mmCIF file with all atom_site columns, all heavy atoms in Angstrom:
data_model
loop_
_atom_site.group_PDB
_atom_site.id
_atom_site.type_symbol
_atom_site.label_atom_id
_atom_site.label_alt_id
_atom_site.label_comp_id
_atom_site.label_asym_id
_atom_site.label_entity_id
_atom_site.label_seq_id
_atom_site.pdbx_PDB_ins_code
_atom_site.Cartn_x
_atom_site.Cartn_y
_atom_site.Cartn_z
_atom_site.occupancy
_atom_site.B_iso_or_equiv
_atom_site.pdbx_formal_charge
_atom_site.auth_seq_id
_atom_site.auth_comp_id
_atom_site.auth_asym_id
_atom_site.auth_atom_id
_atom_site.pdbx_PDB_model_num
ATOM 1  N N   . THR A 1 6  ? 47.481 -1.158  -63.287  1.00 0.00 ? 925 THR A N   1
ATOM 2  C CA  . THR A 1 6  ? 46.338 -1.096  -64.198  1.00 0.00 ? 925 THR A CA  1
ATOM 3  C C   . THR A 1 6  ? 46.539 -1.982  -65.412  1.00 0.00 ? 925 THR A C   1
ATOM 4  O O   . THR A 1 6  ? 45.613 -2.628  -65.896  1.00 0.00 ? 925 THR A O   1
ATOM 5  C CB  . THR A 1 6  ? 46.133 0.358   -64.694  1.00 0.00 ? 925 THR A CB  1
ATOM 6  O OG1 . THR A 1 6  ? 46.209 1.231   -63.569  1.00 0.00 ? 925 THR A OG1 1
ATOM 7  C CG2 . THR A 1 6  ? 44.809 0.512   -65.394  1.00 0.00 ? 925 THR A CG2 1
ATOM 8  N N   . GLN A 1 10 ? 44.069 -4.612  -67.099  1.00 0.00 ? 929 GLN A N   1
ATOM 9  C CA  . GLN A 1 10 ? 43.636 -4.457  -68.489  1.00 0.00 ? 929 GLN A CA  1
ATOM 10 C C   . GLN A 1 10 ? 43.895 -5.733  -69.281  1.00 0.00 ? 929 GLN A C   1
ATOM 11 O O   . GLN A 1 10 ? 43.063 -6.143  -70.089  1.00 0.00 ? 929 GLN A O   1
ATOM 12 C CB  . GLN A 1 10 ? 44.379 -3.287  -69.138  1.00 0.00 ? 929 GLN A CB  1
ATOM 13 C CG  . GLN A 1 10 ? 43.969 -1.930  -68.599  1.00 0.00 ? 929 GLN A CG  1
ATOM 14 C CD  . GLN A 1 10 ? 42.549 -1.587  -68.981  1.00 0.00 ? 929 GLN A CD  1
ATOM 15 O OE1 . GLN A 1 10 ? 41.672 -1.519  -68.115  1.00 0.00 ? 929 GLN A OE1 1
ATOM 16 N NE2 . GLN A 1 10 ? 42.315 -1.379  -70.263  1.00 0.00 ? 929 GLN A NE2 1
ATOM 17 N N   . ARG A 1 36 ? 24.092 -19.747 -94.066  1.00 0.00 ? 955 ARG A N   1
ATOM 18 C CA  . ARG A 1 36 ? 23.388 -18.903 -95.032  1.00 0.00 ? 955 ARG A CA  1
ATOM 19 C C   . ARG A 1 36 ? 24.052 -18.999 -96.406  1.00 0.00 ? 955 ARG A C   1
ATOM 20 O O   . ARG A 1 36 ? 23.378 -19.131 -97.434  1.00 0.00 ? 955 ARG A O   1
ATOM 21 C CB  . ARG A 1 36 ? 23.379 -17.455 -94.551  1.00 0.00 ? 955 ARG A CB  1
ATOM 22 C CG  . ARG A 1 36 ? 22.593 -16.559 -95.498  1.00 0.00 ? 955 ARG A CG  1
ATOM 23 C CD  . ARG A 1 36 ? 22.734 -15.121 -95.146  1.00 0.00 ? 955 ARG A CD  1
ATOM 24 N NE  . ARG A 1 36 ? 22.099 -14.805 -93.877  1.00 0.00 ? 955 ARG A NE  1
ATOM 25 C CZ  . ARG A 1 36 ? 22.367 -13.710 -93.189  1.00 0.00 ? 955 ARG A CZ  1
ATOM 26 N NH1 . ARG A 1 36 ? 23.248 -12.846 -93.619  1.00 0.00 ? 955 ARG A NH1 1
ATOM 27 N NH2 . ARG A 1 36 ? 21.755 -13.472 -92.058  1.00 0.00 ? 955 ARG A NH2 1
ATOM 28 N N   . LYS A 1 39 ? 23.117 -22.161 -97.933  1.00 0.00 ? 958 LYS A N   1
ATOM 29 C CA  . LYS A 1 39 ? 21.728 -22.138 -98.373  1.00 0.00 ? 958 LYS A CA  1
ATOM 30 C C   . LYS A 1 39 ? 21.597 -21.408 -99.714  1.00 0.00 ? 958 LYS A C   1
ATOM 31 O O   . LYS A 1 39 ? 20.907 -21.858 -100.627 1.00 0.00 ? 958 LYS A O   1
ATOM 32 C CB  . LYS A 1 39 ? 20.874 -21.435 -97.313  1.00 0.00 ? 958 LYS A CB  1
ATOM 33 C CG  . LYS A 1 39 ? 19.490 -22.001 -97.215  1.00 0.00 ? 958 LYS A CG  1
ATOM 34 C CD  . LYS A 1 39 ? 18.812 -21.501 -95.958  1.00 0.00 ? 958 LYS A CD  1
ATOM 35 C CE  . LYS A 1 39 ? 17.411 -22.019 -95.925  1.00 0.00 ? 958 LYS A CE  1
ATOM 36 N NZ  . LYS A 1 39 ? 16.702 -21.597 -94.728  1.00 0.00 ? 958 LYS A NZ  1
ATOM 37 N N   . HIS B 2 19 ? 44.542 2.652   -61.882  1.00 0.00 ? 117 HIS B N   1
ATOM 38 C CA  . HIS B 2 19 ? 43.720 3.714   -62.474  1.00 0.00 ? 117 HIS B CA  1
ATOM 39 C C   . HIS B 2 19 ? 42.278 3.220   -62.541  1.00 0.00 ? 117 HIS B C   1
ATOM 40 O O   . HIS B 2 19 ? 41.898 2.535   -63.475  1.00 0.00 ? 117 HIS B O   1
ATOM 41 C CB  . HIS B 2 19 ? 44.230 4.064   -63.880  1.00 0.00 ? 117 HIS B CB  1
ATOM 42 C CG  . HIS B 2 19 ? 45.534 4.779   -63.875  1.00 0.00 ? 117 HIS B CG  1
ATOM 43 N ND1 . HIS B 2 19 ? 46.327 4.925   -64.978  1.00 0.00 ? 117 HIS B ND1 1
ATOM 44 C CD2 . HIS B 2 19 ? 46.198 5.410   -62.869  1.00 0.00 ? 117 HIS B CD2 1
ATOM 45 C CE1 . HIS B 2 19 ? 47.415 5.599   -64.668  1.00 0.00 ? 117 HIS B CE1 1
ATOM 46 N NE2 . HIS B 2 19 ? 47.359 5.896   -63.378  1.00 0.00 ? 117 HIS B NE2 1
ATOM 47 N N   . SER B 2 26 ? 36.971 0.688   -69.255  1.00 0.00 ? 124 SER B N   1
ATOM 48 C CA  . SER B 2 26 ? 37.236 -0.331  -70.277  1.00 0.00 ? 124 SER B CA  1
ATOM 49 C C   . SER B 2 26 ? 36.446 -1.599  -69.988  1.00 0.00 ? 124 SER B C   1
ATOM 50 O O   . SER B 2 26 ? 35.924 -2.244  -70.903  1.00 0.00 ? 124 SER B O   1
ATOM 51 C CB  . SER B 2 26 ? 38.731 -0.625  -70.354  1.00 0.00 ? 124 SER B CB  1
ATOM 52 O OG  . SER B 2 26 ? 39.206 -1.054  -69.116  1.00 0.00 ? 124 SER B OG  1
ATOM 53 N N   . GLU B 2 47 ? 17.516 -16.415 -92.212  1.00 0.00 ? 145 GLU B N   1
ATOM 54 C CA  . GLU B 2 47 ? 16.667 -15.695 -93.163  1.00 0.00 ? 145 GLU B CA  1
ATOM 55 C C   . GLU B 2 47 ? 16.048 -14.481 -92.492  1.00 0.00 ? 145 GLU B C   1
ATOM 56 O O   . GLU B 2 47 ? 15.778 -14.497 -91.293  1.00 0.00 ? 145 GLU B O   1
ATOM 57 C CB  . GLU B 2 47 ? 15.568 -16.638 -93.682  1.00 0.00 ? 145 GLU B CB  1
ATOM 58 C CG  . GLU B 2 47 ? 16.101 -17.541 -94.782  1.00 0.00 ? 145 GLU B CG  1
ATOM 59 C CD  . GLU B 2 47 ? 15.169 -18.702 -95.060  1.00 0.00 ? 145 GLU B CD  1
ATOM 60 O OE1 . GLU B 2 47 ? 14.091 -18.734 -94.451  1.00 0.00 ? 145 GLU B OE1 1
ATOM 61 O OE2 . GLU B 2 47 ? 15.555 -19.571 -95.850  1.00 0.00 ? 145 GLU B OE2 1
ATOM 62 N N   . GLU B 2 57 ? 26.627 -8.108  -88.619  1.00 0.00 ? 155 GLU B N   1
ATOM 63 C CA  . GLU B 2 57 ? 27.215 -8.984  -89.642  1.00 0.00 ? 155 GLU B CA  1
ATOM 64 C C   . GLU B 2 57 ? 28.215 -8.220  -90.508  1.00 0.00 ? 155 GLU B C   1
ATOM 65 O O   . GLU B 2 57 ? 29.228 -8.773  -90.931  1.00 0.00 ? 155 GLU B O   1
ATOM 66 C CB  . GLU B 2 57 ? 26.113 -9.553  -90.541  1.00 0.00 ? 155 GLU B CB  1
ATOM 67 C CG  . GLU B 2 57 ? 25.411 -10.745 -89.953  1.00 0.00 ? 155 GLU B CG  1
ATOM 68 C CD  . GLU B 2 57 ? 24.272 -11.184 -90.828  1.00 0.00 ? 155 GLU B CD  1
ATOM 69 O OE1 . GLU B 2 57 ? 24.292 -10.886 -92.039  1.00 0.00 ? 155 GLU B OE1 1
ATOM 70 O OE2 . GLU B 2 57 ? 23.349 -11.823 -90.303  1.00 0.00 ? 155 GLU B OE2 1
#
Side-chain angles (χ1 to χ4, degrees):
Chain A
T925 314
Q929 290 292 112
R955 183 188 293 162
K958 213 167 177 179
Chain B
H117 289 165
S124 58
E145 279 165 4
E155 278 175 23

